[in-house]
């Protein structure tokens, strides 16, 4: 008898990593909810029955979507994942129709409301909503999930494998069976956590011993210790520039906006300064914030900026979070776009090479033992950021869902106390930029959107020939 089909090798670890756990515990504070979102725009409405079947198949291919979180009795340590015996697609997959003018503005307003609604911690932490009623028979799909499931790179790896490459059904796909529920109690989780701590003891003893042995070369040991100790405050955000007074207010209200940028032109703009496409992306964002501050009559020289740094290795399992934090002093006071891009390039390089860049992963196994209420007291590491920005490679080929073609994919990260969260993925040659802004921080959203377009166009112009500035592409605002 042949072996049954097997699910994907994606997010199949039985318990959270320490970083996943820290994100999960952040929900103790409503301001720090770790909900990540994606809005997909389809060229037509997908067939509903096929869409339900696709979710059933996808949740068998990636059983993490059938698993709920089981925590210890004290809400400390790393939680476990276990197949939900009450898993019900009828709860997780919803359907609705726009009741107004069917505009993108109406669509995004609905998605904002869905995003601000907390996920049920007693169920697998994700929800999908098909939204019909867009002009010309088009539709949208809104997916929200908890960041503890995966980082941006892991999410794209999963979506790339779960989306179809054909509008028509593909015969012969693997059909793994539905995963069987496994009974895991809170006490089981605690026992597993304690056993892991015992297993870590030899490693911690070895690390301590290597530290003692390093004292045989005191000058070298002192130099290493000083470099690391100087790096820790920078990585932790303790020596960031002060936040902008213009962006100082925080609330529980999220506001989405979306933009399209020609990816090749953004890449060429970075190349013009021997910088990366990510540097050019950051320069566009910071340029937009510079213009917004000027037009609001509140210019500043720098703002605190945080960027995720992927520490994912080829041997790491897909799914989960494999990220560190980089800190920058966003140069909003630099008017010249070329100089701004060069400054950002050097700051990003410095952030990536900080000795303590991976400190939260290093200390994560200890921090995870703190209850959520205690961890919330350290939220200043994120609430002092005016901008957090992430750039994730997207899917470079046509993708389909239940007979509908995916035209655009707009990602939206959470607002862990920052003023603006920017996320960009590339889909078929177009850089799709999603901004989640705190409504109390960005009080003039229309002006901010205009400034962002102008800030990116300043950077895109660097890709043009000197004699013909029209050769460069321009950013387009979607909403």
């Amino acid at each position: 008898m042949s072996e049954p089909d097997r699910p994907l090798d994606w997010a199949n670890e039985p318990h959270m990593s320490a970083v996943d756990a820290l994100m999960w515990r952040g929900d103790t504070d409503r301001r720090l909810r770790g909900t990540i979102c994606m809005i997909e725009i389809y060229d037509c409405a997908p067939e509903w029955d096929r869409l339900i079947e696709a979710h059933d198949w996808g949740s068998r291919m990636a059983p993490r979507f059938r698993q709920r979180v089981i925590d210890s009795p004290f809400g400390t340590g790393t939680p476990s994942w276990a197949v939900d015996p009450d898993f019900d697609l009828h709860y997780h997959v919803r359907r609705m129709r726009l009741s107004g003018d069917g505009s993108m503005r109406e669509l995004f307003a609905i998605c904002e409301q869905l995003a601000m609604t907390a996920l049920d911690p007693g169920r697998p932490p994700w929800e999908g909503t098909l939204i019909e009623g867009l002009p010309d028979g088009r539709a949208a799909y809104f997916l929200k999930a908890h960041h503890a499931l995966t980082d941006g790179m892991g999410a794209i790896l999963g979506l790339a494998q779960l989306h179809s490459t054909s509008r028509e059904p593909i015969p012969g796909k693997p059909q793994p069976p539905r995963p069987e529920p496994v009974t895991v109690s809170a006490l089981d989780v605690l026992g597993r956590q304690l056993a892991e701590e015992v297993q870590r003891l030899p490693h911690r003893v070895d690390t301590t011993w290597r530290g003692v042995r390093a004292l045989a070369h005191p000058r070298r040991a002192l130099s290493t210790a000083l470099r690391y100790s100087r790096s820790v405050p920078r990585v932790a955000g303790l020596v960031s520039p002060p936040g902008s007074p213009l962006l100082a207010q925080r609330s529980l209200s999220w506001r989405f906006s979306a933009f399209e940028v020609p990816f090749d032109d953004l890449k060429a703009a970075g190349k013009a300064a021997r910088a990366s496409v990510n540097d050019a992306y950051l320069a566009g964002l910071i340029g937009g914030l510079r213009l917004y501050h000027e037009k609001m009559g509140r210019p500043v020289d720098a703002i605190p900026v945080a960027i995720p740094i992927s520490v994912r290795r080829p041997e790491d399992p897909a799914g989960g979070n494999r990220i560190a934090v980089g800190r920058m002093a966003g140069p909003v006071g630099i008017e010249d776009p070329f100089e701004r891009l060069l400054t950002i390039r050097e700051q990003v390089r410095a952030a990536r090479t900080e000795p303590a860049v991976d400190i939260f992963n290093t200390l994560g196994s200890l921090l995870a033992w703190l209850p959520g209420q205690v961890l919330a007291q350290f939220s200043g590491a994120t609430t002092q950021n005016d901008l957090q920005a992430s750039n994730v490679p997207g899917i470079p080929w046509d993708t389909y869902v239940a007979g509908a073609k995916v035209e655009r994919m707009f990602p939206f990260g959470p607002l862990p106390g920052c003023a603006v969260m920017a996320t960009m993925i590339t889909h078929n040659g177009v850089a799709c930029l999603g901004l989640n802004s705190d409504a109390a921080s960005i009080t003039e959203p229309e002006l901010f959107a205009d400034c962002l377009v102008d800030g990116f166009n300043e950077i895109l112009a660097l890709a043009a020939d000197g004699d013909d500035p029209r050769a460069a592409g321009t950013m387009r605002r979607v909403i």
Side-chain angles (χ1 to χ4, degrees):
M1 182 179 293
S2 61
E3 289 286 329
D5 290 332
R6 301 180 67 84
L8 296 171
D9 183 18
W10 185 87
N12 53 13
E13 295 175 302
H15 54 82
M16 291 186 184
S17 71
V19 175
D20 299 341
L22 295 178
M23 291 184 172
W24 181 255
R25 297 268 156 63
D27 282 13
T28 303
D29 186 334
R30 293 190 302 165
R31 299 170 303 156
L32 306 180
R33 281 181 184 155
T35 306
I36 57 176
C37 307
M38 176 81 78
I39 299 176
E40 295 186 336
I41 308 297
Y42 298 154
D43 68 343
C44 64
E47 301 173 35
W48 178 247
D49 289 343
R50 279 183 66 184
L51 185 65
I52 295 297
E53 291 174 2
H55 280 83
D56 177 75
W57 175 79
S59 66
R60 287 184 283 117
M61 290 295 291
R64 178 69 86 227
F65 290 105
R66 290 175 174 259
Q67 296 174 344
R68 63 191 179 102
V69 177
I70 310 295
D71 215 338
S72 74
F74 310 108
T76 58
T78 55
S80 290
W81 293 99
V83 174
D84 185 1
D86 299 315
F87 178 72
D88 183 8
L89 275 179
H90 181 67
Y91 173 84
H92 289 277
V93 187
R94 295 97 183 274
R95 185 181 192 180
M96 62 183 300
R97 176 174 290 273
L98 298 177
S99 59
D101 58 5
S103 64
M104 293 296 285
R105 185 177 297 280
E106 182 187 3
L107 169 66
F108 275 65
I110 290 293
C111 292
E112 290 165 356
Q113 294 168 345
L114 294 172
M116 288 185 285
T117 303
L119 290 158
D120 184 348
R123 295 179 181 265
W126 67 274
E127 297 170 7
T129 305
L130 174 65
I131 304 174
E132 299 175 90
L134 289 175
D136 304 318
R138 294 157 68 235
Y141 176 79
F142 179 72
L143 175 66
K144 74 173 184 177
H146 200 281
H147 211 324
L149 275 171
T150 182
D151 57 21
M153 181 69 75
I156 293 299
L157 289 172
L159 287 174
Q161 297 176 87
L162 296 176
H163 278 52
S164 178
T165 56
S166 168
R167 195 183 291 272
E168 301 302 322
I170 299 176
K173 293 191 300 184
Q175 298 291 339
R178 291 180 175 86
E180 292 294 328
V182 178
T183 302
V184 178
S185 70
L187 289 177
D188 292 332
V189 174
L190 180 60
R192 187 263 301 164
Q193 293 171 344
L194 295 174
E196 288 177 346
E197 288 302 310
V198 171
Q199 293 172 358
R200 290 189 182 104
L201 282 176
H203 171 72
R204 288 174 176 164
V205 170
D206 181 64
T207 300
T208 302
W209 175 241
R210 282 188 282 114
V212 171
R213 290 177 59 189
L215 295 178
H217 306 281
R219 184 173 298 177
R220 185 191 311 165
L222 178 61
S223 176
T224 301
L226 288 175
R227 284 200 304 272
Y228 195 87
S229 63
R230 286 195 294 264
S231 177
V232 168
R234 294 194 294 268
V235 172
L238 301 178
V239 292
S240 297
S244 164
L246 183 62
L247 309 177
Q249 299 300 314
R250 298 289 186 271
S251 69
L252 298 174
S253 299
W254 293 8
R255 297 293 182 267
F256 289 170
S257 53
F259 306 83
E260 296 176 356
V261 185
F263 180 74
D264 287 342
D265 289 304
L266 190 62
K267 185 176 180 180
K271 188 176 180 180
R274 296 184 179 180
S276 69
V277 65
N278 187 65
D279 298 333
Y281 159 60
L282 289 170
L285 289 170
I286 292 172
L289 283 163
R290 180 188 71 81
L291 293 171
Y292 182 67
H293 278 79
E294 285 190 356
K295 292 184 182 296
M296 294 289 286
R298 305 285 294 276
V300 293
D301 290 330
I303 59 172
V305 177
I307 56 173
I309 297 174
S310 177
V311 294
R312 188 178 292 278
R313 299 167 298 182
E315 64 270 23
D316 286 334
N321 289 272
R322 301 291 188 275
I323 54 175
V325 180
R327 306 283 182 177
M328 297 170 47
V332 291
I334 298 180
E335 182 175 353
D336 181 74
F338 188 79
E339 182 185 352
R340 188 188 322 130
L341 179 52
L342 289 178
T343 302
I344 289 170
R345 181 193 70 182
E346 297 309 311
Q347 287 194 11
V348 170
R349 288 178 179 176
R352 291 182 181 277
T353 56
E354 283 281 5
V357 68
D358 203 23
I359 187 172
F360 292 110
N361 288 281
T362 302
L363 298 179
S365 61
L366 297 175
L367 293 175
W369 282 98
L370 298 176
Q373 295 88 341
V374 176
L375 286 171
Q377 304 306 311
F378 298 99
S379 63
T382 58
T383 55
Q384 67 181 356
N385 296 321
D386 285 339
L387 171 66
Q388 290 188 216
S390 178
N391 173 25
V392 182
I395 304 175
W397 56 79
D398 288 340
T399 56
Y400 301 84
V401 175
K405 183 178 181 180
V406 181
E407 294 183 335
R408 290 290 182 267
M409 305 172 72
F410 293 106
F412 299 90
L415 275 181
C418 60
V420 179
M421 170 68 80
T423 313
M424 185 176 76
I425 64 172
T426 306
H427 182 63
N428 258 355
V430 177
C432 301
L433 172 60
L435 257 69
N436 185 6
S437 304
D438 190 312
S441 302
I442 303 297
T443 56
E444 299 292 338
E446 294 297 319
L447 175 62
F448 179 64
D450 291 341
C451 290
L452 197 69
V453 169
D454 291 341
F456 264 87
N457 287 342
E458 287 180 346
I459 298 300
L460 291 169
L462 299 176
D465 295 330
D467 297 332
D468 185 11
R470 294 171 299 174
T474 56
M475 172 187 261
R476 185 180 81 87
R477 181 185 177 189
V478 176
I479 179 62

